[in-house]
Amino acid sequence: MKAIMDVLRGVAIGVANVIPGVSGGTMAVSMGVYDKIIGAVSGLFKHFKQSILTLLPLGVGMGIGIVAFGYALAEHTLATCLTFVGLILGGLPILWVRFKDSWAKKARKGAPVGEVICFAALLAFGVGMALLQGGDEAVKSLALTPGTAVLLLALGLIASATMVIPGVSGSMVLMVLGYYNTILDLVTGCVDGLVAGDFGLILHNVSLLIPFGIGVALGIFGIAKIIEYLFANFPSQTFAGIIGLILSSPFAVLYSSGALAHFTVPGLIVGLIIGAAGAWVTLLMGKADPE
């Protein structure tokens, strides 16, 4: 049962990484498994078996979520995005309790100045990242060359590092850099090639995705070490910053995905209903012991 729940959490995290403006890290926080993922990634070599058992069901779920998501976002953009707003915000009550606990452990009197600064700065950062994104860029045609491999490796490093940080969308960063549609086209091209039995197309796309995937793995490992340090040494400031980033997410989701351009009254009603249900599900998952 625990493994099934982790697969479902992984699906939500994987889908979140595809939507511009939604952070997989934010979804992991909301689902109550963020600390668990960071600990497993940073301790991968020290506690290899335990880390793999922790990450495997989440990774399977993420893969399912990323591959199976396209239809919902394309056909029901507003309702899908509002659903994810609900899923994200549903984790705030538990996150707020953890912030208060970390502040209480400091046994300090006076205003939490550092925490307020972290909250405000990262709230502004989350909104600013959404505003910085450009329009829909054209899909770039990539040839498998050493230069392209280095570029894709660097894109993987940047995107994965931001995916891990709650409130910062890796897909939105790729959009700012002008490569979101290109990377998404490589993923969908693999699926199209598999359906059509075109192994040449599959091989071409997979060959380009491999350096990107290596960059993703390296970026996740590196940023996990940094975040683990922040949680250990500056817990209340870190939680305050994460809350700021999460509160910026609804704006980032709706602005970056173009959901408002697909506004319909039925879509709004359905999105609000499903979003409320999503918030409730996230709250229940967050309360469930993820260990």
Side-chain angles (χ1 to χ4, degrees), residues 6-26:
D6 278 347
V7 170
L8 293 176
R9 292 183 177 106
V11 170
I13 295 167
V15 173
N17 277 321
V18 178
I19 305 177
V22 185
S23 163
T26 298

Side-chain angles (χ1 to χ4, degrees), residues 177-245:
L177 296 174
Y179 280 90
Y180 173 74
N181 286 334
T182 300
I183 299 299
L184 191 61
D185 187 64
L186 291 176
V187 175
T188 57
C190 289
V191 178
D192 291 342
L194 189 62
V195 172
D198 187 342
F199 295 103
L201 178 61
I202 296 172
L203 181 61
H204 173 75
N205 287 329
V206 168
S207 298
L208 290 169
L209 285 172
I210 285 174
F212 180 77
I214 293 172
V216 168
L218 293 175
I220 289 175
F221 183 78
I223 200 69
K225 288 288 188 183
I226 296 172
I227 292 175
E228 186 178 46
Y229 173 82
L230 292 175
F231 272 123
N233 295 277
F234 307 99
S236 60
Q237 293 94 332
T238 303
F239 278 120
I242 289 173
I243 291 172
L245 285 168

Side-chain angles (χ1 to χ4, degrees), residues 20-51:
V22 185
S23 163
T26 298
M27 193 59 65
V29 170
S30 297
M31 293 287 172
V33 293
Y34 185 73
D35 293 355
K36 185 165 113 174
I37 294 173
I38 292 297
V41 172
S42 63
L44 184 62
F45 298 109
K46 188 180 293 185
H47 307 289
F48 182 77
K49 182 178 179 181
Q50 182 181 345
S51 294

Side-chain angles (χ1 to χ4, degrees), residues 18-250:
V18 178
I19 305 177
V22 185
S23 163
T26 298
M27 193 59 65
V29 170
S30 297
M31 293 287 172
V33 293
Y34 185 73
D35 293 355
K36 185 165 113 174
I37 294 173
I38 292 297
V41 172
S42 63
L44 184 62
F45 298 109
K46 188 180 293 185
H47 307 289
F48 182 77
K49 182 178 179 181
Q50 182 181 345
S51 294
I52 291 298
L53 290 175
T54 297
L55 295 172
L56 184 60
L58 291 164
V60 169
M62 287 177 65
I64 293 171
I66 289 171
V67 172
F69 175 66
Y71 173 80
L73 184 62
E75 299 296 326
H76 309 286
T77 306
L78 179 60
T80 303
C81 289
L82 286 174
T83 299
F84 272 86
V85 169
L87 286 168
I88 291 167
L89 296 182
L92 275 176
I94 293 172
L95 191 59
W96 176 251
V97 170
R98 298 186 67 182
F99 164 73
K100 289 198 299 181
D101 288 344
S102 65
W103 172 253
K105 287 179 182 177
K106 298 170 76 172
R108 214 170 63 187
K109 295 182 179 180
V113 177
E115 286 76 4
V116 170
I117 291 173
C118 289
F119 169 81
L122 292 177
L123 175 66
F125 176 78
V127 173
M129 280 297 299
L131 294 174
L132 275 175
Q133 68 157 35
D136 293 336
E137 83 280 357
V139 174
K140 296 174 176 62
S141 179
L142 299 176
L144 187 59
T145 64
T148 301
V150 171
L151 171 65
L152 290 169
L153 179 71
L155 288 171
L157 280 167
I158 295 168
S160 66
T162 54
M163 287 173 191
V164 176
I165 302 171
V168 184
S169 166
S171 53
M172 187 165 64
V173 170
L174 286 175
M175 191 172 284
V176 171
L177 296 174
Y179 280 90
Y180 173 74
N181 286 334
T182 300
I183 299 299
L184 191 61
D185 187 64
L186 291 176
V187 175
T188 57
C190 289
V191 178
D192 291 342
L194 189 62
V195 172
D198 187 342
F199 295 103
L201 178 61
I202 296 172
L203 181 61
H204 173 75
N205 287 329
V206 168
S207 298
L208 290 169
L209 285 172
I210 285 174
F212 180 77
I214 293 172
V216 168
L218 293 175
I220 289 175
F221 183 78
I223 200 69
K225 288 288 188 183
I226 296 172
I227 292 175
E228 186 178 46
Y229 173 82
L230 292 175
F231 272 123
N233 295 277
F234 307 99
S236 60
Q237 293 94 332
T238 303
F239 278 120
I242 289 173
I243 291 172
L245 285 168
I246 287 177
L247 286 176
S248 72
S249 291

